[in-house]
Each structure stands twice: as C-alpha cells, then as structure tokens.
Amino acid sequence: MSQRRRIGRVLLALTTMVGVVTAAPPASAATTPSLRFSSPLSQALYGDPYAAALDNLLRVNTLGYDSKYDKSGLMDPAVGFVRAGGGYQQPWTRDASINSWNATSLLSPGLAKNTLWAVVDKDSAGALRVQQDDQQWDQVVWLTAAWNHYLVTGDRAFLDNAYRAAKNTLAIRERAGTAGFNATYGLFTGASFFNDGIAGYPAPPADATESVSTGSMPWPGVASGMYLSTNEVYYAAYVNAANMADRVGQSQEAAGYRTKAAALKTAINRYFWNAQTGLYNYQLLADGTPGAYQEGTGLAFALLFDIASPAQAQSIISRARSMTWGMPDTFPHWDRYSDAQPGRHNAIVWPLVQGLWAKALARQGNQSGFASEVTRLAKLANNNSGYWEIYNGNTGVVDGGYQRLGDTVKFHWGSEPDQTWSATAYLDMVHSGLFGLRYTDQALTFAPNLPAGWGDVTLQNLRYRGADLTITLRGAGTVIAAVKVDGQSSRAEIPASLTGSHTVEITLTGAAAGDRDGDGVPDAQDRCSDIGGPVSGCPSPARLDAEDARNTGGVKTNVNHTGYSGRAFVDGIWAQGAASAFTVHRSSSGQGTGSVTLRYANANSDARTMTLSVDGRAVRQVSFPKVSDSWDAWGTVTFDGVPVSGLDPVVTFSFGSADSGRINLDWLSYSGA
C-alpha cells in the first residue's frame, strides 16, 4: 500500500468520526441503466454484479462537492465527485482517471467532469495542471481519461480547459528530474503505472527483505528505472494530446505530440519487446538490465493503445499467463513471495487489471479470453458481497497480499471493500466489451462481443449525449449479422446528434461454444454453468460450497480458520442483511420438498439463528447449535421439509431482524424431489 493510501485510511477514519460538510448532496446519473439477460442463470451471474457495480459507483462512492478539491476552480458545486472507494475518501489522479474512463463519463457526465477536475490544480501563474503529488509517474493517465470524456460527451468547453491542463502537465513531466525523461533510452523513468508498492518489483531493484520502504519511489532503482506500463501511458498521453490539439485548432502542436508519440513507441518496442518470450518485458533498469517478467497492465496497454503490432498482439494473447481468478498484476512470484504469501502487487488479482485485460481482449476479438475474465470478476463480486480491492489469484479469496511495513517483514495487508475501480472495471466489461461501445466525435458505434450460452441481453436506459437508448443483443458471437434502429435496418452506429428514446437491436453470429465453469459441458447445454468449477451430481448437486454462493450484505470468502472444504469458507455474517444464497438444481420442475444440510462453524456461547428462504419467500427461522469454542471446528445441521418448486430454486440463509447470526458457512447439500 502506498503512503497516500495509508494516509487515506486515517483521513477516512477521522471524517467518519467528525463528519464531512459538503455544499451539495451526492449526484447520480439522470437515468440509471439496467442490464437484463433472457437466461435467469446469466442474469444471476452477470446481471446482478452489474446492478451492484452501478450502486457502488453512483451511490456508495459518490460524495458531495468539497471545496478542498476545487483547486482548479472548475468543479460544479451542485455536483459531487467519485472517491477511490471504501477506506479511501479521496479521488486521487489515477483512480479519478480510471473510473471516468471506465464508466463515469458515460453514466454521469457531470459527475465525471467534476471528478476529473478534482485532481487538477493551478501553478503560481494560474496555469492548469494535473495535481503535483508523490505519484508523479501516473499523472498523465489523466489525459487519456479527459480525451475519452470529450469523445463520450462532446463537451467542447471541457476540452478547451483539458487541453491546457494536458499541455502543461506533459511539459512538467518532460522537464522533471524525478520520474522524468531519460534521453539515453528515449523512455520515461519512475515506477510502474500500477505498482506504487515495492511488492510489485523483483530484486533488483528491491531486496529480499524490502528494507528501504514499503513504497516504490523511495527505491533508487525504481525511481531511475523504466517500466512498460508507464511508458505506454505516456505514449497514449502524447497521442491524445495531439488529438486534443487538433480539435482546438493547434495543428502544429498536434504534429509535435505525434512526433514524440512515434519516437516513444519505437523505444518501447526496442527496449521492452522480448522475442524469446513473445511478450513485453516489465522493466528496464537504468544500467540497461532488462526484466523479463509479465506486467498485466503493461500487456493490456500494449493491445489497447496499438503499441503492439498484429503479430505481437497475437503472441501476447497466446503466451500471457493468467491465474485461476484472473490476469495478475505482476507475474510470476518474486522469490520472497509464494502461493501461501502472495505479494500485494505480485501474482495476485486486482479487478482493475482484470478490467483492462478484458477490454484489451475484447478489442482484439478474443471472445473466449474476454468471456473468462468477465466471468471471473462476476463470480468474485457475487461470492463476496460486491467489489473488493484485491483477491488471491489461486483461490479467489478476498486477500490484500503481503508487503513490508516498518520493521515487520511480510505484513499481511487487508483488502478494502467497495473499491470504485473494481466496480467500474466490471461496468466497462459490459459497456465496451459485451456491447462493444466505441466513441468518436460524431457517433457511438458498436462492436459487440456476446459469448455462446449467455443468452440474449438488453441494456436499457443508457444515456448517450441527448439520446436514451435501449440496446438488445441477440444470438452470439462478434460478427454483426443485422442491425435495426427503431425497427429499421441501419448501420451499427448512433449519430451524436440523436435525441430522445430509441431502440437498437443487433443480431450476432460466429460464436464458439463457451464453457464458463470448466466442466466440459458447453454453456448452451449446461444448466449448472453458474457453479464455479465441476460439480458432482448436477442437477441436484451433492454439495455446493459457500464460496460459490451468491453472498451479500458483507459476507465474503476467507481462509483464516482451518478445517474447511473447497477453496475457502464464508464469514462476515455479522450484521442484519447478510445472506448466502444457493441455487439448487433439481431434476423436476414441479412442487416438492427437500432436505438441506449445512456445514458451519459456531464458536459463540449459544445457538445462533438465521432465516431460511426459498426464491425470496421466508420459510422459517432455523437454528445453528454451538459446535465448539474454536472457529476451526465444524459441524452440520439438517433442515427437512423445505418447500421447493421449479428446476432451479434459490435457497437463502439470511441474518434477519429477529436473528442472531454470527456463524461461518462451509457448504450446503440438498436432497429431495
């Protein structure tokens, strides 16, 4: 965790105690879109996380206007801004930029604009610039977000000011002594775009005990080193500065930025491309020592920003290593970390990185890889009451990873809940990946990516400039067979000038059969594809692990006790509203009764109660007797006479208003007609 993230946690605690005074209530989108799949299983697996992500962005993490962030003088006091997430009250440059780029500019343009201006200030002469903090190396990602905001909204007044801020910020970074330009290599120095902690770096530049600092920039080898993702972000900044300059009538300046972009792209390919591995290297130390490691954001940016040639792109897609639960930040484990103790930024899954990788795969037409990454993040959200900061790449358990803290080596960090860029990563998977939304000055175009077995899907009440769109995808694949706008055959685009309510129907073809749970049965024929991994006896599975349930209200995966089965157990059933919902697959669609057995842990002094419901209807309160004084001990309890109907009833155990809760769950089994 970076120094500012640690400070952010302290500030959040203080503001929680004393309260925050704001001039306006939080703002949200004028209309909130909804995602609806024709398949109930797809709706549960993919649609529910979409609704949760919208709530995360537009309610949980939207704060009211705060004048302390309005150093640019361009924020609207009637509109709020988006914070970094649970535990982090600030917007921060990288977070504000990623969240706007991912989703906020589309869903709530005024909120996105305020969030982008919240990380801009002025120099002593009054010139706009991205705020000059200790995260020097990632300041220029703001330019990519700002250009995207203009393309989505067409806001010319914003663009004029954004170009001034972009121009000044690039000039600052080019002249900087720290995290500046290394003329010998033609590359920018400073930390990796995403890795603000030393756990994200091999040794060298780190050492085996991380003895210098938990942060990255205090390490001389990091500060003077050159990293793939950082240079790619600078390349994109030059390209987008040129685009901005063209639009504001500065063609000569645009040409200058394009020249710099071309030179930087050449240097990236010269010094980072590794023909032996078929991937880009992660690092280049100042003495010329290369680092042939995998960086998730770096590989994603190479594809997204067209730094890789078509041949290089295909090599990256075929050779990049993902973990069980997604594309890791850096890979493989450094010598000082392991599967048992993964580094906070090493061989561990951050949904932000997953989102960028999924976006890149969708742009490359790699439907199977895209579908896998979306499914992984959807399951992580469903299994853990929403969007956390970091997950274990092997188990999918909420896990902040290990990193040095002071004199403690391999301190186990927490993973914060309600992380905005984790939620906006999923929103972007749906918008730019599934529906293939692409923006130009003049139009919204479509390049959808609907995998086989997901079923038809509709995105309703999506605002694009002056239009309110309902977009339906039918069939499966990436090849557009037909497009209808308001029932009439059309091109796959919506002009920026369109206003009012309109329908878009896109029929797709060419999809390969998917298998999202890896059980060998294609999704289109798999009634149990909502289950993570092969399940014995489906329909009527012998056992459903609680870590694969739909967990809400603070329930999450954990491994901090022993004796559980599967990859984890679930805890967090500590407050009213907590719930675990299990989809039971029956062979009969009629009404019947069954028996439900739960394996659980209860080390409280007494029996605990929960409410048993089926398909949202409360059946009765049930009791979980004390098992032991130890949370490492597990017991089972069976509840008979549970009424069920339909092929796929949902059995839920929740902490209701009359319940005492506070147990851990390991698995559920169902038997009956």
Side-chain angles (χ1 to χ4, degrees), residues 130-181:
V130 175
Q131 63 186 0
Q132 298 298 294
D133 55 20
D134 64 347
Q135 304 276 298
Q136 308 97 326
W137 63 92
D138 66 10
Q139 290 167 11
V140 298
V141 71
W142 188 91
L143 278 74
T144 293
W147 175 245
N148 178 75
H149 185 80
Y150 167 69
L151 291 180
V152 173
T153 66
D155 188 338
R156 180 55 188 267
F158 170 83
L159 182 67
D160 290 342
N161 285 318
Y163 179 61
R164 284 191 280 273
K167 180 178 176 180
N168 294 332
T169 302
L170 280 171
I172 291 169
R173 297 270 38 95
E174 288 170 343
R175 297 192 300 263
T178 300
F181 188 69

Short mmCIF file of all heavy atoms in Angstrom, two decimals, residues 130-181:
data_model
loop_
_atom_site.label_atom_id
_atom_site.label_comp_id
_atom_site.label_asym_id
_atom_site.label_seq_id
_atom_site.Cartn_x
_atom_site.Cartn_y
_atom_site.Cartn_z
N VAL A 130 -2.39 18.85 -13.92
CA VAL A 130 -2.77 17.74 -13.05
C VAL A 130 -2.00 17.90 -11.74
O VAL A 130 -0.83 18.26 -11.74
CB VAL A 130 -2.46 16.39 -13.72
CG1 VAL A 130 -2.73 15.23 -12.77
CG2 VAL A 130 -3.29 16.23 -14.99
N GLN A 131 -2.66 17.64 -10.62
CA GLN A 131 -2.06 17.91 -9.32
C GLN A 131 -0.69 17.25 -9.18
O GLN A 131 -0.48 16.12 -9.61
CB GLN A 131 -2.99 17.45 -8.20
CG GLN A 131 -3.27 15.95 -8.18
CD GLN A 131 -4.32 15.56 -7.15
OE1 GLN A 131 -4.85 16.41 -6.44
NE2 GLN A 131 -4.62 14.28 -7.06
N GLN A 132 0.22 17.98 -8.58
CA GLN A 132 1.60 17.52 -8.45
C GLN A 132 1.82 16.88 -7.09
O GLN A 132 2.20 17.52 -6.12
CB GLN A 132 2.54 18.71 -8.67
CG GLN A 132 2.43 19.33 -10.05
CD GLN A 132 2.79 18.34 -11.15
OE1 GLN A 132 3.94 17.91 -11.26
NE2 GLN A 132 1.80 17.97 -11.96
N ASP A 133 1.54 15.57 -7.02
CA ASP A 133 1.69 14.83 -5.78
C ASP A 133 2.85 13.85 -5.89
O ASP A 133 3.68 13.96 -6.79
CB ASP A 133 0.38 14.13 -5.41
CG ASP A 133 -0.12 13.22 -6.55
OD1 ASP A 133 0.70 12.84 -7.41
OD2 ASP A 133 -1.32 12.88 -6.56
N ASP A 134 2.88 12.87 -4.97
CA ASP A 134 4.01 11.94 -4.97
C ASP A 134 3.81 10.76 -5.91
O ASP A 134 4.59 9.82 -5.91
CB ASP A 134 4.28 11.44 -3.55
CG ASP A 134 3.13 10.61 -2.98
OD1 ASP A 134 2.02 10.63 -3.58
OD2 ASP A 134 3.32 9.96 -1.93
N GLN A 135 2.78 10.82 -6.72
CA GLN A 135 2.54 9.76 -7.70
C GLN A 135 2.87 10.31 -9.10
O GLN A 135 2.06 10.29 -10.02
CB GLN A 135 1.08 9.32 -7.63
CG GLN A 135 0.64 8.86 -6.25
CD GLN A 135 0.98 7.41 -5.96
OE1 GLN A 135 0.49 6.50 -6.63
NE2 GLN A 135 1.80 7.17 -4.97
N GLN A 136 4.10 10.78 -9.25
CA GLN A 136 4.49 11.51 -10.46
C GLN A 136 4.29 10.69 -11.72
O GLN A 136 3.89 11.23 -12.76
CB GLN A 136 5.97 11.93 -10.37
CG GLN A 136 6.35 12.68 -9.11
CD GLN A 136 6.98 11.74 -8.07
OE1 GLN A 136 6.60 10.57 -7.97
NE2 GLN A 136 7.92 12.26 -7.29
N TRP A 137 4.56 9.40 -11.64
CA TRP A 137 4.65 8.60 -12.85
C TRP A 137 3.28 8.34 -13.50
O TRP A 137 3.23 7.97 -14.67
CB TRP A 137 5.31 7.26 -12.53
CG TRP A 137 4.51 6.44 -11.57
CD1 TRP A 137 3.57 5.51 -11.87
CD2 TRP A 137 4.53 6.52 -10.15
NE1 TRP A 137 3.02 4.99 -10.73
CE2 TRP A 137 3.60 5.60 -9.66
CE3 TRP A 137 5.27 7.27 -9.23
CZ2 TRP A 137 3.37 5.40 -8.30
CZ3 TRP A 137 5.05 7.07 -7.89
CH2 TRP A 137 4.11 6.16 -7.43
N ASP A 138 2.20 8.52 -12.75
CA ASP A 138 0.90 8.21 -13.36
C ASP A 138 0.02 9.44 -13.56
O ASP A 138 -1.18 9.33 -13.80
CB ASP A 138 0.16 7.12 -12.58
CG ASP A 138 -0.27 7.57 -11.18
OD1 ASP A 138 -0.17 8.77 -10.89
OD2 ASP A 138 -0.71 6.71 -10.41
N GLN A 139 0.61 10.63 -13.50
CA GLN A 139 -0.20 11.83 -13.69
C GLN A 139 -0.80 11.90 -15.09
O GLN A 139 -1.93 12.39 -15.27
CB GLN A 139 0.65 13.08 -13.43
CG GLN A 139 1.01 13.28 -11.97
CD GLN A 139 2.09 14.32 -11.75
OE1 GLN A 139 2.43 15.06 -12.68
NE2 GLN A 139 2.63 14.38 -10.54
N VAL A 140 -0.07 11.41 -16.09
CA VAL A 140 -0.52 11.63 -17.46
C VAL A 140 -1.63 10.69 -17.89
O VAL A 140 -2.19 10.85 -18.98
CB VAL A 140 0.65 11.56 -18.47
CG1 VAL A 140 1.67 12.65 -18.18
CG2 VAL A 140 1.29 10.19 -18.47
N VAL A 141 -2.01 9.70 -17.07
CA VAL A 141 -3.17 8.89 -17.43
C VAL A 141 -4.42 9.77 -17.48
O VAL A 141 -5.41 9.43 -18.14
CB VAL A 141 -3.35 7.71 -16.44
CG1 VAL A 141 -3.83 8.20 -15.08
CG2 VAL A 141 -4.33 6.67 -17.02
N TRP A 142 -4.37 10.91 -16.81
CA TRP A 142 -5.49 11.86 -16.83
C TRP A 142 -5.82 12.28 -18.25
O TRP A 142 -6.99 12.49 -18.60
CB TRP A 142 -5.14 13.07 -15.97
CG TRP A 142 -6.26 14.04 -15.75
CD1 TRP A 142 -7.15 14.04 -14.72
CD2 TRP A 142 -6.60 15.16 -16.57
NE1 TRP A 142 -8.03 15.08 -14.85
CE2 TRP A 142 -7.71 15.79 -15.98
CE3 TRP A 142 -6.08 15.71 -17.74
CZ2 TRP A 142 -8.31 16.93 -16.51
CZ3 TRP A 142 -6.67 16.84 -18.29
CH2 TRP A 142 -7.77 17.44 -17.68
N LEU A 143 -4.82 12.39 -19.12
CA LEU A 143 -5.06 12.82 -20.49
C LEU A 143 -5.93 11.83 -21.25
O LEU A 143 -6.81 12.22 -22.03
CB LEU A 143 -3.74 13.02 -21.24
CG LEU A 143 -3.01 14.35 -21.03
CD1 LEU A 143 -2.35 14.40 -19.66
CD2 LEU A 143 -1.96 14.55 -22.12
N THR A 144 -5.69 10.54 -21.04
CA THR A 144 -6.49 9.52 -21.71
C THR A 144 -7.94 9.60 -21.23
O THR A 144 -8.88 9.50 -22.04
CB THR A 144 -5.91 8.13 -21.44
OG1 THR A 144 -4.63 8.03 -22.09
CG2 THR A 144 -6.82 7.03 -21.95
N ALA A 145 -8.13 9.79 -19.93
CA ALA A 145 -9.48 9.91 -19.40
C ALA A 145 -10.17 11.17 -19.91
O ALA A 145 -11.36 11.15 -20.23
CB ALA A 145 -9.44 9.92 -17.87
N ALA A 146 -9.41 12.26 -19.98
CA ALA A 146 -10.00 13.53 -20.44
C ALA A 146 -10.41 13.45 -21.91
O ALA A 146 -11.48 13.94 -22.30
CB ALA A 146 -9.00 14.67 -20.23
N TRP A 147 -9.57 12.84 -22.75
CA TRP A 147 -9.92 12.69 -24.16
C TRP A 147 -11.15 11.79 -24.31
O TRP A 147 -12.05 12.07 -25.10
CB TRP A 147 -8.74 12.14 -24.95
CG TRP A 147 -9.06 11.85 -26.38
CD1 TRP A 147 -9.07 10.63 -26.99
CD2 TRP A 147 -9.44 12.79 -27.39
NE1 TRP A 147 -9.43 10.74 -28.30
CE2 TRP A 147 -9.67 12.06 -28.58
CE3 TRP A 147 -9.62 14.17 -27.40
CZ2 TRP A 147 -10.06 12.66 -29.77
CZ3 TRP A 147 -10.02 14.78 -28.59
CH2 TRP A 147 -10.22 14.03 -29.76
N ASN A 148 -11.19 10.70 -23.56
CA ASN A 148 -12.36 9.83 -23.60
C ASN A 148 -13.61 10.58 -23.18
O ASN A 148 -14.69 10.42 -23.77
CB ASN A 148 -12.14 8.62 -22.68
CG ASN A 148 -13.35 7.70 -22.63
OD1 ASN A 148 -13.62 6.96 -23.56
ND2 ASN A 148 -14.08 7.75 -21.52
N HIS A 149 -13.49 11.43 -22.16
CA HIS A 149 -14.65 12.20 -21.69
C HIS A 149 -15.18 13.09 -22.81
O HIS A 149 -16.41 13.20 -22.99
CB HIS A 149 -14.26 13.04 -20.48
CG HIS A 149 -15.42 13.77 -19.87
ND1 HIS A 149 -16.31 13.17 -19.02
CD2 HIS A 149 -15.84 15.07 -20.02
CE1 HIS A 149 -17.23 14.05 -18.66
NE2 HIS A 149 -16.97 15.21 -19.25
N TYR A 150 -14.29 13.70 -23.55
CA TYR A 150 -14.74 14.54 -24.66
C TYR A 150 -15.44 13.71 -25.73
O TYR A 150 -16.49 14.09 -26.25
CB TYR A 150 -13.56 15.29 -25.27
CG TYR A 150 -13.90 15.92 -26.60
CD1 TYR A 150 -14.78 17.00 -26.68
CD2 TYR A 150 -13.38 15.41 -27.79
CE1 TYR A 150 -15.12 17.56 -27.90
CE2 TYR A 150 -13.71 15.96 -29.02
CZ TYR A 150 -14.58 17.04 -29.06
OH TYR A 150 -14.93 17.58 -30.27
N LEU A 151 -14.86 12.55 -26.07
CA LEU A 151 -15.49 11.71 -27.10
C LEU A 151 -16.88 11.25 -26.67
O LEU A 151 -17.81 11.19 -27.49
CB LEU A 151 -14.61 10.50 -27.40
CG LEU A 151 -13.29 10.75 -28.11
CD1 LEU A 151 -12.55 9.43 -28.32
CD2 LEU A 151 -13.47 11.48 -29.43
N VAL A 152 -17.04 10.91 -25.40
CA VAL A 152 -18.33 10.43 -24.92
C VAL A 152 -19.36 11.57 -24.87
O VAL A 152 -20.51 11.39 -25.25
CB VAL A 152 -18.18 9.79 -23.52
CG1 VAL A 152 -19.55 9.44 -22.93
CG2 VAL A 152 -17.31 8.55 -23.59
N THR A 153 -18.92 12.73 -24.41
CA THR A 153 -19.88 13.82 -24.13
C THR A 153 -19.95 14.89 -25.20
O THR A 153 -20.95 15.61 -25.29
CB THR A 153 -19.52 14.49 -22.80
OG1 THR A 153 -18.24 15.17 -22.94
CG2 THR A 153 -19.45 13.47 -21.67
N GLY A 154 -18.87 15.09 -25.98
CA GLY A 154 -18.82 16.19 -26.93
C GLY A 154 -18.71 17.55 -26.26
O GLY A 154 -19.00 18.58 -26.89
N ASP A 155 -18.27 17.59 -25.02
CA ASP A 155 -18.19 18.83 -24.24
C ASP A 155 -16.97 19.64 -24.67
O ASP A 155 -15.86 19.41 -24.21
CB ASP A 155 -18.12 18.49 -22.75
CG ASP A 155 -18.22 19.70 -21.85
OD1 ASP A 155 -17.94 20.83 -22.32
OD2 ASP A 155 -18.57 19.52 -20.67
N ARG A 156 -17.17 20.63 -25.55
CA ARG A 156 -16.06 21.40 -26.10
C ARG A 156 -15.44 22.34 -25.06
O ARG A 156 -14.23 22.56 -25.05
CB ARG A 156 -16.53 22.20 -27.31
CG ARG A 156 -15.45 23.05 -27.95
CD ARG A 156 -14.23 22.20 -28.34
NE ARG A 156 -13.14 23.03 -28.78
CZ ARG A 156 -12.92 23.36 -30.05
NH1 ARG A 156 -13.74 22.90 -31.00
NH2 ARG A 156 -11.90 24.11 -30.39
N ALA A 157 -16.27 22.90 -24.17
CA ALA A 157 -15.72 23.76 -23.12
C ALA A 157 -14.77 22.97 -22.22
O ALA A 157 -13.71 23.46 -21.83
CB ALA A 157 -16.85 24.39 -22.30
N PHE A 158 -15.17 21.75 -21.89
CA PHE A 158 -14.28 20.88 -21.12
C PHE A 158 -12.99 20.64 -21.88
O PHE A 158 -11.90 20.70 -21.31
CB PHE A 158 -14.97 19.55 -20.82
CG PHE A 158 -14.05 18.51 -20.23
CD1 PHE A 158 -13.77 18.50 -18.88
CD2 PHE A 158 -13.44 17.56 -21.04
CE1 PHE A 158 -12.90 17.56 -18.33
CE2 PHE A 158 -12.57 16.61 -20.51
CZ PHE A 158 -12.31 16.61 -19.15
N LEU A 159 -13.09 20.35 -23.17
CA LEU A 159 -11.91 20.04 -23.96
C LEU A 159 -10.92 21.20 -23.98
O LEU A 159 -9.70 20.99 -23.88
CB LEU A 159 -12.31 19.67 -25.38
CG LEU A 159 -11.15 19.29 -26.31
CD1 LEU A 159 -10.51 17.98 -25.86
CD2 LEU A 159 -11.62 19.18 -27.75
N ASP A 160 -11.41 22.41 -24.11
CA ASP A 160 -10.52 23.57 -24.15
C ASP A 160 -9.68 23.65 -22.88
O ASP A 160 -8.45 23.85 -22.95
CB ASP A 160 -11.34 24.85 -24.31
CG ASP A 160 -11.97 24.98 -25.69
OD1 ASP A 160 -11.50 24.28 -26.62
OD2 ASP A 160 -12.92 25.75 -25.84
N ASN A 161 -10.31 23.50 -21.73
CA ASN A 161 -9.57 23.55 -20.47
C ASN A 161 -8.71 22.30 -20.29
O ASN A 161 -7.59 22.38 -19.76
CB ASN A 161 -10.54 23.68 -19.29
CG ASN A 161 -11.11 25.07 -19.17
OD1 ASN A 161 -10.39 26.06 -19.32
ND2 ASN A 161 -12.41 25.17 -18.88
N ALA A 162 -9.22 21.16 -20.73
CA ALA A 162 -8.46 19.92 -20.59
C ALA A 162 -7.17 19.98 -21.40
O ALA A 162 -6.13 19.48 -20.95
CB ALA A 162 -9.30 18.72 -21.04
N TYR A 163 -7.22 20.58 -22.57
CA TYR A 163 -6.01 20.67 -23.36
C TYR A 163 -4.96 21.53 -22.68
O TYR A 163 -3.77 21.21 -22.68
CB TYR A 163 -6.29 21.21 -24.76
CG TYR A 163 -5.02 21.33 -25.60
CD1 TYR A 163 -4.26 20.20 -25.87
CD2 TYR A 163 -4.57 22.57 -26.05
CE1 TYR A 163 -3.09 20.30 -26.60
CE2 TYR A 163 -3.40 22.67 -26.78
CZ TYR A 163 -2.67 21.53 -27.06
OH TYR A 163 -1.50 21.62 -27.77
N ARG A 164 -5.39 22.62 -22.07
CA ARG A 164 -4.43 23.46 -21.35
C ARG A 164 -3.79 22.68 -20.21
O ARG A 164 -2.57 22.76 -20.00
CB ARG A 164 -5.14 24.72 -20.84
CG ARG A 164 -5.41 25.75 -21.92
CD ARG A 164 -5.87 27.07 -21.33
NE ARG A 164 -7.28 27.04 -20.97
CZ ARG A 164 -8.25 27.33 -21.81
NH1 ARG A 164 -7.97 27.65 -23.07
NH2 ARG A 164 -9.51 27.29 -21.43
N ALA A 165 -4.60 21.94 -19.46
CA ALA A 165 -4.05 21.14 -18.37
C ALA A 165 -3.13 20.04 -18.89
O ALA A 165 -2.07 19.77 -18.31
CB ALA A 165 -5.19 20.52 -17.56
N ALA A 166 -3.50 19.42 -20.00
CA ALA A 166 -2.70 18.35 -20.58
C ALA A 166 -1.35 18.88 -21.05
O ALA A 166 -0.29 18.28 -20.78
CB ALA A 166 -3.45 17.71 -21.74
N LYS A 167 -1.38 19.98 -21.75
CA LYS A 167 -0.15 20.57 -22.29
C LYS A 167 0.82 20.93 -21.18
O LYS A 167 2.03 20.62 -21.25
CB LYS A 167 -0.53 21.80 -23.11
CG LYS A 167 0.63 22.53 -23.76
CD LYS A 167 0.11 23.70 -24.58
CE LYS A 167 1.25 24.51 -25.17
NZ LYS A 167 0.73 25.65 -25.98
N ASN A 168 0.31 21.56 -20.13
CA ASN A 168 1.18 21.97 -19.03
C ASN A 168 1.72 20.78 -18.25
O ASN A 168 2.88 20.76 -17.83
CB ASN A 168 0.41 22.90 -18.08
CG ASN A 168 0.05 24.22 -18.74
OD1 ASN A 168 0.74 24.68 -19.65
ND2 ASN A 168 -1.03 24.83 -18.29
N THR A 169 0.88 19.76 -18.08
CA THR A 169 1.31 18.58 -17.33
C THR A 169 2.40 17.81 -18.07
O THR A 169 3.40 17.38 -17.46
CB THR A 169 0.12 17.67 -17.05
OG1 THR A 169 -0.89 18.40 -16.34
CG2 THR A 169 0.53 16.45 -16.23
N LEU A 170 2.25 17.64 -19.36
CA LEU A 170 3.29 16.97 -20.13
C LEU A 170 4.61 17.73 -20.08
O LEU A 170 5.69 17.13 -19.96
CB LEU A 170 2.84 16.79 -21.58
CG LEU A 170 1.90 15.61 -21.85
CD1 LEU A 170 1.35 15.68 -23.27
CD2 LEU A 170 2.60 14.29 -21.60
N ALA A 171 4.53 19.05 -20.13
CA ALA A 171 5.75 19.86 -20.06
C ALA A 171 6.45 19.68 -18.72
O ALA A 171 7.69 19.59 -18.65
CB ALA A 171 5.42 21.33 -20.30
N ILE A 172 5.66 19.62 -17.64
CA ILE A 172 6.24 19.40 -16.31
C ILE A 172 6.95 18.06 -16.26
O ILE A 172 8.09 17.94 -15.78
CB ILE A 172 5.14 19.46 -15.24
CG1 ILE A 172 4.61 20.89 -15.10
CG2 ILE A 172 5.66 18.97 -13.88
CD1 ILE A 172 3.34 20.99 -14.26
N ARG A 173 6.32 17.03 -16.76
CA ARG A 173 6.89 15.69 -16.67
C ARG A 173 8.13 15.55 -17.57
O ARG A 173 9.08 14.86 -17.22
CB ARG A 173 5.84 14.63 -17.06
CG ARG A 173 4.66 14.62 -16.11
CD ARG A 173 4.80 13.69 -14.91
NE ARG A 173 6.09 13.58 -14.29
CZ ARG A 173 6.48 14.28 -13.24
NH1 ARG A 173 5.68 15.20 -12.70
NH2 ARG A 173 7.65 14.08 -12.69
N GLU A 174 8.14 16.20 -18.69
CA GLU A 174 9.30 16.12 -19.58
C GLU A 174 10.53 16.77 -18.97
O GLU A 174 11.66 16.35 -19.23
CB GLU A 174 8.97 16.80 -20.92
CG GLU A 174 8.00 16.01 -21.77
CD GLU A 174 7.50 16.80 -22.97
OE1 GLU A 174 7.64 18.05 -22.97
OE2 GLU A 174 6.97 16.18 -23.91
N ARG A 175 10.33 17.78 -18.14
CA ARG A 175 11.45 18.50 -17.53
C ARG A 175 11.83 17.96 -16.16
O ARG A 175 12.83 18.40 -15.58
CB ARG A 175 11.09 19.98 -17.39
CG ARG A 175 10.84 20.71 -18.70
CD ARG A 175 10.79 22.21 -18.47
NE ARG A 175 9.74 22.58 -17.54
CZ ARG A 175 8.53 23.00 -17.90
NH1 ARG A 175 8.23 23.10 -19.20
NH2 ARG A 175 7.62 23.33 -17.00
N ALA A 176 11.04 17.04 -15.62
CA ALA A 176 11.22 16.60 -14.24
C ALA A 176 12.52 15.85 -14.04
O ALA A 176 12.95 15.07 -14.89
CB ALA A 176 10.04 15.72 -13.82
N GLY A 177 13.13 16.07 -12.88
CA GLY A 177 14.33 15.32 -12.53
C GLY A 177 14.00 13.96 -11.97
O GLY A 177 14.78 13.01 -12.09
N THR A 178 12.85 13.83 -11.30
CA THR A 178 12.36 12.56 -10.77
C THR A 178 11.16 12.12 -11.57
O THR A 178 10.23 12.90 -11.78
CB THR A 178 11.97 12.70 -9.28
OG1 THR A 178 13.12 13.12 -8.54
CG2 THR A 178 11.46 11.38 -8.73
N ALA A 179 11.14 10.87 -12.00
CA ALA A 179 10.08 10.35 -12.86
C ALA A 179 9.94 11.25 -14.08
O ALA A 179 8.85 11.71 -14.41
CB ALA A 179 8.76 10.24 -12.10
N GLY A 180 11.07 11.48 -14.74
CA GLY A 180 11.11 12.31 -15.93
C GLY A 180 11.59 11.53 -17.14
O GLY A 180 11.48 10.29 -17.18
N PHE A 181 12.18 12.24 -18.10
CA PHE A 181 12.57 11.62 -19.37
C PHE A 181 14.05 11.27 -19.37
O PHE A 181 14.90 12.08 -19.01
CB PHE A 181 12.27 12.59 -20.51
CG PHE A 181 12.46 11.99 -21.89
CD1 PHE A 181 11.61 11.01 -22.36
CD2 PHE A 181 13.50 12.43 -22.70
CE1 PHE A 181 11.78 10.46 -23.62
CE2 PHE A 181 13.68 11.89 -23.97
CZ PHE A 181 12.81 10.90 -24.42
#
